[in-house]
């Protein structure tokens, strides 16, 4: 590859000598298959939900989960095909097992990152504080949803063994500003030009390296400050797909408190922490 990596945008200098979305990326480079996923998470004080579609070479997986905070009930399902989840630009549809979710997503530009991965590369685009409006129907009971969330679009030729910790969330600062964040360690996380980001009233800026507690109950910032996390419901899964992909995954929904860099104190925060260890 030519050109300086890592690169972070939007801005000048986007690599032009390697295929990047929306251009189609090859299904394999060298010995590495293309890994792609799109994840949408919507979080608020009454309900949290997520849905994703994952492609690893010829393998497919889709999943959804809904944590009803009012009923204290977690519903979820994972299938090894596209299944009941549709994640098109600007929309989310889940239709499965007595669940129907229809949301319009007001997507924006987000932040985009291209990182080296040994002799290959990875790409990701992250969005936060994305307005999500529509309805959620559970067991015949339909309710309106007007909330905000995050979107993670990723693709690349990651190492065979990859492990990371991640947090995404939204909330409100004590001064009333809308807050969103994307924090990571272990993937797309060079010291600069990383995917780490803090959104304040829609404006994104990069954050320095972060340190996750082993118990996933806190994440600390190099610039100072710490978010504390209270888990409420946990999605956990161990997969062995045709002895090609082995994955151990935990993603709790919950609430956040504490301070982000720059003295941004949270009044309320909702979202997820994640631990993922995968051979793919």
């Amino acid at each position: 590859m030519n050109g300086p990596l890592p690169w972070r945008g939007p801005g000048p200098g986007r690599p032009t000598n390697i295929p990047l979305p929306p251009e189609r990326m090859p299904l394999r480079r060298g010995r590495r298959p293309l890994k792609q996923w799109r994840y949408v998470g919507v979080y608020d004080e009454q309900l949290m939900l997520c849905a994703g579609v994952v492609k690893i070479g010829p393998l497919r997986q889709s999943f959804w989960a809904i944590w009803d905070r009012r009923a204290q009930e977690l519903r979820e399902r994972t299938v090894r095909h596209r299944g009941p989840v549709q994640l098109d630009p600007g929309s989310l549809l889940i239709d499965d097992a007595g669940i129907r979710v229809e949301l319009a997503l007001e997507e924006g530009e987000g932040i985009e990152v291209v990182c080296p991965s040994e002799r290959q590369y990875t790409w990701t685009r992250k969005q936060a504080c994305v307005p999500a409006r529509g309805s959620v129907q559970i067991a015949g009971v339909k309710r309106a949803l007007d909330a905000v969330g995050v979107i993670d679009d990723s693709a690349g030729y990651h190492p065979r063994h990859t492990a990371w910790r991640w947090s995404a969330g939204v909330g409100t600062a004590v001064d009333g500003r809308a807050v969103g964040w994307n924090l990571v360690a272990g993937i797309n996380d060079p010291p600069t030009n990383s995917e780490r980001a803090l959104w304040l009233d829609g404006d994104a800026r990069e954050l320095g390296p972060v340190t996750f507690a082993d118990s996933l109950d806190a994440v600390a910032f190099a610039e100072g400050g710490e978010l504390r996390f209270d888990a409420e419901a946990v999605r956990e899964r161990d997969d062995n797909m045709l002895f090609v992909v082995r994955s151990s995954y935990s993603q709790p929904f919950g609430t956040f408190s504490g301070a982000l860099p720059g003295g941004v104190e949270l009044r309320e925060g909702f979202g997820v922490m994640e631990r993922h260890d995968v051979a793919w």
Side-chain angles (χ1 to χ4, degrees), residues 10-226:
R14 190 177 195 261
T16 59
N17 61 315
I18 51 177
L20 296 171
E23 184 180 350
R24 185 171 182 174
M25 296 172 65
L27 294 179
R28 182 174 291 273
R29 278 179 65 100
R31 296 184 177 183
R32 294 189 185 177
L34 176 64
K35 296 104 175 184
Q36 307 174 77
W37 63 89
R38 180 170 172 88
Y39 170 97
V40 175
V42 180
Y43 322 116
D44 75 0
E45 67 276 3
Q46 293 189 18
L47 183 144
M48 303 191 202
L49 66 86
C50 69
V53 175
V54 182
K55 303 177 184 178
I56 304 171
L59 302 177
R60 300 289 184 270
Q61 185 183 80
S62 63
F63 62 85
W64 60 265
I66 298 177
W67 167 234
D68 187 335
R69 301 185 74 220
R70 183 171 55 190
Q72 292 289 288
E73 183 176 29
L74 176 67
R75 296 171 182 252
E76 61 174 315
R77 187 169 183 234
T78 300
V79 296
R80 292 181 180 176
H81 51 82
R82 181 171 178 173
V85 177
Q86 287 185 231
L87 291 177
D88 298 317
S91 68
L92 162 62
L93 173 63
I94 305 168
D95 191 358
D96 187 32
I99 299 290
R100 185 170 180 88
V101 178
E102 296 179 88
L103 297 178
L105 308 170
E106 294 184 21
E107 298 196 41
E109 190 173 41
I111 63 109
E112 185 183 15
V113 171
V114 184
C115 289
S117 177
E118 297 173 353
R119 295 184 179 182
Q120 302 301 335
Y121 65 96
T122 62
W123 168 90
T124 190
R125 180 178 59 233
K126 299 295 196 291
Q127 302 176 60
C129 302
V130 177
R133 299 182 178 91
S135 63
V136 176
Q137 182 172 303
I138 302 174
V141 179
K142 186 175 182 178
R143 70 175 81 168
L145 182 65
D146 186 349
V148 293
V150 301
I151 300 177
D152 172 4
D153 291 295
S154 294
Y157 308 95
H158 306 74
R160 168 67 176 159
H161 177 239
T162 310
W164 67 85
R165 297 185 181 190
W166 179 67
S167 176
V170 296
T172 307
V174 294
D175 62 10
R177 287 181 292 178
V179 177
W181 63 86
N182 179 84
L183 310 172
V184 72
I187 186 172
N188 302 324
D189 67 341
T192 60
N193 291 334
S194 74
E195 69 167 65
R196 298 181 302 271
L198 168 63
W199 284 261
L200 291 173
D201 278 346
D203 294 326
R205 67 178 176 93
E206 185 176 10
L207 297 177
V210 295
T211 303
F212 286 82
D214 290 342
S215 54
L216 290 185
D217 61 359
V219 55
F221 302 94
E223 303 95 327
E226 180 182 69

Side-chain angles (χ1 to χ4, degrees), residues 217-279:
D217 61 359
V219 55
F221 302 94
E223 303 95 327
E226 180 182 69
L227 286 183
R228 298 177 296 277
F229 180 69
D230 291 319
E232 296 181 344
V234 183
R235 297 179 53 238
E236 293 182 305
R237 188 174 177 88
D238 292 319
D239 275 312
N240 191 340
M241 290 191 272
L242 302 178
F243 302 99
V244 175
V245 177
R246 296 186 302 277
S247 172
S248 179
Y249 176 85
S250 177
Q251 188 188 82
F253 293 106
T255 60
F256 291 84
S257 59
L260 292 147
V264 180
E265 293 279 348
L266 277 185
R267 185 174 70 199
E268 60 179 5
F270 309 95
V272 295
M273 294 282 243
E274 177 181 287
R275 179 191 294 109
H276 201 164
D277 192 310
V278 58

